[in-house]
Structures are given as C-alpha cells and as structure tokens.
Amino acid sequence: MEDCAVSFWIYIGVMSILVGGAMKKFLAFHIGAMPSMMAWLGATLLVERLCALCMPAVLARLILCVSCWLYFTWATPKPLLPVEGKAVFITGCDSGFGNATAKRLDAMGFEVFATVLNLEGEGAKHLRRVCSSRLTLLQVDITQPQQVQQALLDTKAKLGMRDLWGLVNNAGLCVNIGDVELCLMSNYRGCMEVNYFGTLNVTRAFLPLLRQAKGRIVTISSPSGENPFPCLAAYGASKAALNLLISTLRHELKPWGVKVSTILPSAFKTGQSSNTEYWEKQYKNQIQNLPTSLLEEYGEEYLLETKELFHSYAKKANEDLSPVINTIVDALLSPQPQVRYYAGPGVTLMYFICSYLPFSISDRFLQKVFVQKKVMPRVLRKQPGLSLINNNNSIKENMNNSNNNNDSFTKSID
C-alpha cells in the first residue's frame, strides 16, 4: 500500500516534468521541433500507462530520475559563443529590425558594419549618437551591385586580417498590397529586386569572407513567403524565392562550416509599415495606373477597403522588436543555431494550422487574420444573391469587427 502511495506521487512528479517539457516546446516551437515534441508526448503516454499498472516504487523512482536528467539536459540552453573579436555586416539599418539589431550587437561588443540608404537620415544619426566607435555606417542600396562591391571593399579594408563572422540580410521592401490582378507590375518587380536580387547581391559578395571565417548567415524573411496571405502576392512571391535560395545555400555551405538561418517574424511595426503618407502615395499611384476597365470592375471602394484594413493591422502591430532581435543574436552566437526561427506572438500557431490542418481550415484562417474583406468587387455586387456593402460606415464597421478578431498574426513588413 505504501509502495502504491509513493508510486502515485512520483507519477505526479514524472507527469509534471514530461507534460511541462512538452508544453514548453509547444509554446516556443517551430516546425522543426515537432519530432522532439512528439517524442515528449510519447514518453508521457508511456509513463502514464506504466503508472496505471501500479508500477513498483523502485521503478517509479528510476523513471523519475531519468526524466529529470533528460529534461534538464535537453531544456537547458547551451552557452553562447564569445562575442570578442567578431564582426557582423547588417543591411537595412535605417529603421526597424536592422537599426535595433545594430544597436544590440554594438552594445554586446560586436564590430558592426551597418548599411543605410541615407547617411544623413534619422536612422543613421541615431546610430551615430547611441553606438560606440566600433560601428561603421555604409551607404548602400543593395539593388546596386557597384555599391555592394564598394561596401565589401570598405569592410575588408576596415577588418584588415580579421574575419567577418556574420551577415544579417535584413533589408526588404513591400510596395503596396492588393489582389494579384490589381497590383502593378512595378510592384512585383520592386519587391523582387530588393528582397530577392538585392539579398542575393550582398550574400554572393560577402560569401568568401564568411567561408573563410566559417561564420553565419542570418536572413529575415516572412511567413508570407510560405503561406498564401491574401493581397500580399507581390511581397510573398519575392520572399518565397528568397526562402528557397537561402535553403539551397544552407545545404551548399555545410562543407564550408558556414551555418545559415532564416527568421520569419510575425507582425511588427518596422520600416514603412506604419508610415501613413507612404501608403497613401502607393494607393494613389495604384489608382492612377490601373486600367480603367479593371478599376470599374472592382470599384475604387474595393481597393480603399484593402488599404484601410492594412492600415488598421499595421497600427496594431507589435512595437517591441526584441523577439526578432533575440533570435538574430541566437542565430549568430548559438553553437548549434536553428535552421528556422519563428519569432513573435501568434506565428507558431499560424504555422501549426497551415502545416498540419486541412486546407479548408488553413485557407479560412489566412483569410481572416490579414485582410478580412467585406466589400465585394463592383461587378459581383450587381449579381443577385450577393450582399452589397458600398458605404464608408459599413466599411469601418467591418474593419472594426475584423480588428477585434485578429491581433497578432499579420506579417511584419521589413
């Protein structure tokens, strides 16, 4: 009887450890962690079955000891690599993730090479003001190969015989949002030029230095590059191309000892995402350049609702960039960095839904979490049986309902 009582309390302890470990992995999981999480759950089920058979107290104690050892061995993070002597090149430091990363890495003791589009801009001035003399600002448009090559020469001159440990590909662009048919071809080309070709320019240029150092490549991408977010086709397509490029590069650089990581953030206020004037300008440019027949079929109110919905989501995006900055630091300094990091609230749930649930569920989820449109295209509204929503009050009411249902799953715009 006493043995059964001891077994019961040890059973409670073992189950707490196993279930706690599984929940910890779930709350911070990325898709690559699913096998280990399933192993935790399998072990939990096994222990539960053994305990149901009223195992002897000695066996229960043994399982408790093994569980504790496994939990603390696997759950305890390994110490990060030392920062001393490490140099990192970061693109897109005018604002957002790039600016915050440059400040964090400089404060940690890295030698930082930060690229900006404007050396006299507010972002560059802020970095000069708050960072140490180790930080070097470089004016670089990553779509211009000659500027990238000049940045490489400047970096090599400053480093001398020292190595370049890391490259953080952060610079990115989203030009307007809208249905595939309504986006201008210049939007598709603009996103691809910066997000794909620009990142490719920088990565190829700095690869010899990174191979020599057996260093790290960290790239900021987007969930929209893997999931079909409505109205983000131009941006998402460029990030999808980038994701495949970086994944291929990861395989090719294994023999060289270079570790490659991709970070996919959730919704954050970065760059132009909260710049109302910028998006108003993009919207007017879209209206002015769409074919008249297409604009008549969809209706200007349809495009207006898309723009307003995006504005409302951008305003509610997370201002605390630390989840992404922390993953960048881990990717640069962890002895075994993750292949992919899913940073920010809600993004892990989104990936679980889109990766493991039926399309009927994941499609509805994506439609609701980004632009839950209520206004039908003008031509469709004229068809019988379809609701007509054509006044500003209705649009605002539907936007408010959408905002209440969706808080943190929209994609950050770099």
Side-chain angles (χ1 to χ4, degrees):
M1 191 71 179
E2 182 180 348
D3 275 3
C4 285
V6 172
S7 296
F8 172 77
W9 288 110
I10 292 178
Y11 161 75
I12 295 298
V14 172
M15 293 297 291
S16 299
I17 292 172
L18 291 173
V19 173
M23 288 304 298
K24 179 178 179 180
K25 288 179 181 294
F26 178 79
L27 292 174
F29 94 35
H30 53 94
I31 298 304
M34 281 300 292
S36 62
M37 191 179 78
M38 294 305 295
W40 273 101
L41 294 175
T44 303
L45 180 61
L46 176 62
V47 171
E48 195 278 333
R49 287 295 86 201
L50 288 173
C51 289
L53 299 175
C54 195
M55 71 176 74
V58 174
L59 180 58
R61 290 188 183 100
L62 177 61
I63 292 177
L64 176 61
C65 292
V66 172
S67 300
C68 290
W69 179 78
L70 289 174
Y71 179 80
F72 290 109
T73 299
W74 292 353
T76 303
K78 294 178 174 60
L80 299 178
L81 299 175
V83 172
E84 184 179 2
K86 288 183 170 60
V88 177
F89 188 94
I90 311 171
T91 63
C93 295
D94 296 87
S95 62
F97 298 139
N99 192 279
T101 301
K103 290 187 290 185
R104 170 77 72 84
L105 296 185
D106 177 77
M108 293 176 65
F110 279 94
E111 181 173 2
V112 177
F113 295 87
T115 77
V116 293
L117 285 173
N118 183 5
L119 285 173
E120 301 305 320
E122 290 302 316
K125 291 179 180 178
H126 178 67
L127 289 177
R128 287 195 193 96
R129 186 167 60 250
V130 302
C131 293
S132 71
S133 59
R134 289 188 305 273
L135 183 133
T136 301
L137 284 172
L138 301 168
Q139 184 167 335
V140 180
D141 179 345
I142 65 172
T143 66
Q144 302 300 316
Q146 66 275 17
Q147 292 188 28
V148 173
Q149 287 299 318
Q150 185 59 53
L152 174 63
L153 293 175
D154 294 341
T155 302
K156 292 170 71 174
K158 184 78 180 289
L159 287 174
M161 300 299 294
R162 292 170 294 146
D163 293 328
L164 179 69
W165 172 254
L167 167 64
V168 179
N169 288 314
N170 167 72
L173 175 70
C174 180
V175 185
N176 214 337
I177 63 169
D179 297 37
V180 170
E181 190 177 17
L182 297 176
C183 280
L184 305 176
M185 285 305 297
S186 59
N187 294 346
Y188 291 98
R189 293 192 178 97
C191 287
M192 192 65 72
E193 196 64 38
V194 175
N195 301 335
Y196 178 75
F197 288 110
T199 302
L200 177 59
N201 281 338
V202 174
T203 305
R204 282 171 57 95
F206 284 85
L207 263 180
L209 295 180
L210 296 165
R211 286 192 285 104
Q212 181 179 329
K214 295 184 178 181
R216 306 288 171 88
I217 298 175
V218 183
T219 302
I220 310 297
S221 186
S222 166
S224 65
E226 296 189 343
N227 297 293
F229 280 84
C231 298
L232 270 183
Y235 180 73
S238 66
K239 290 295 188 177
L242 177 63
N243 289 346
L244 184 59
L245 172 71
I246 297 301
S247 295
T248 303
L249 195 62
R250 176 172 56 84
H251 289 288
E252 296 173 349
L253 291 178
K254 276 186 178 179
W256 296 93
V258 177
K259 292 182 169 59
V260 180
S261 299
T262 303
I263 297 174
L264 298 104
S266 60
F268 291 92
K269 283 188 179 179
T270 62
Q272 298 284 12
S273 64
S274 56
N275 187 336
T276 304
E277 293 182 3
Y278 173 82
W279 291 106
E280 286 292 340
K281 182 179 178 181
Q282 294 296 323
Y283 170 72
K284 290 178 181 178
N285 181 60
Q286 182 184 30
I287 293 293
Q288 293 169 0
N289 288 279
L290 277 177
T292 303
S293 59
L294 195 59
L295 186 58
E296 288 178 352
E297 288 181 335
Y298 277 89
E300 187 171 341
E301 62 276 15
Y302 180 85
L303 281 75
L304 177 63
E305 187 203 33
T306 303
K307 183 200 71 170
E308 295 297 337
L309 282 170
F310 176 76
H311 279 177
S312 67
Y313 290 131
K315 289 177 182 177
K316 295 181 66 177
N318 195 350
E319 295 184 2
D320 178 15
L321 307 184
S322 60
V324 177
I325 310 308
N326 292 339
T327 60
I328 293 174
V329 172
D330 189 78
L332 288 171
L333 293 179
S334 173
Q336 293 297 328
Q338 297 176 16
V339 171
R340 290 203 166 184
Y341 292 87
Y342 299 91
V347 71
T348 52
L349 175 61
M350 181 197 71
Y351 266 87
F352 178 81
I353 291 174
C354 293
S355 299
Y356 295 99
L357 298 185
F359 284 119
S360 59
I361 297 176
S362 61
D363 286 352
R364 181 175 296 182
F365 176 79
L366 290 176
Q367 289 167 2
K368 286 183 176 295
V369 300
F370 187 59
V371 284
Q372 189 179 2
K373 295 186 67 63
K374 299 296 182 181
V375 176
M376 296 289 290
R378 183 179 294 167
V379 170
L380 296 180
R381 276 181 268 153
K382 296 177 181 178
Q383 297 180 10
L386 292 175
S387 60
L388 174 62
I389 305 176
N390 59 1
N391 60 73
N392 291 334
N393 291 333
S394 296
I395 293 175
K396 290 179 180 178
E397 180 181 353
N398 287 310
M399 284 169 48
N400 290 334
N401 291 336
S402 175
N403 291 341
N404 291 333
N405 292 330
N406 307 286
D407 186 22
S408 60
F409 300 108
T410 60
K411 169 68 187 87
S412 61
I413 307 304
D414 310 349

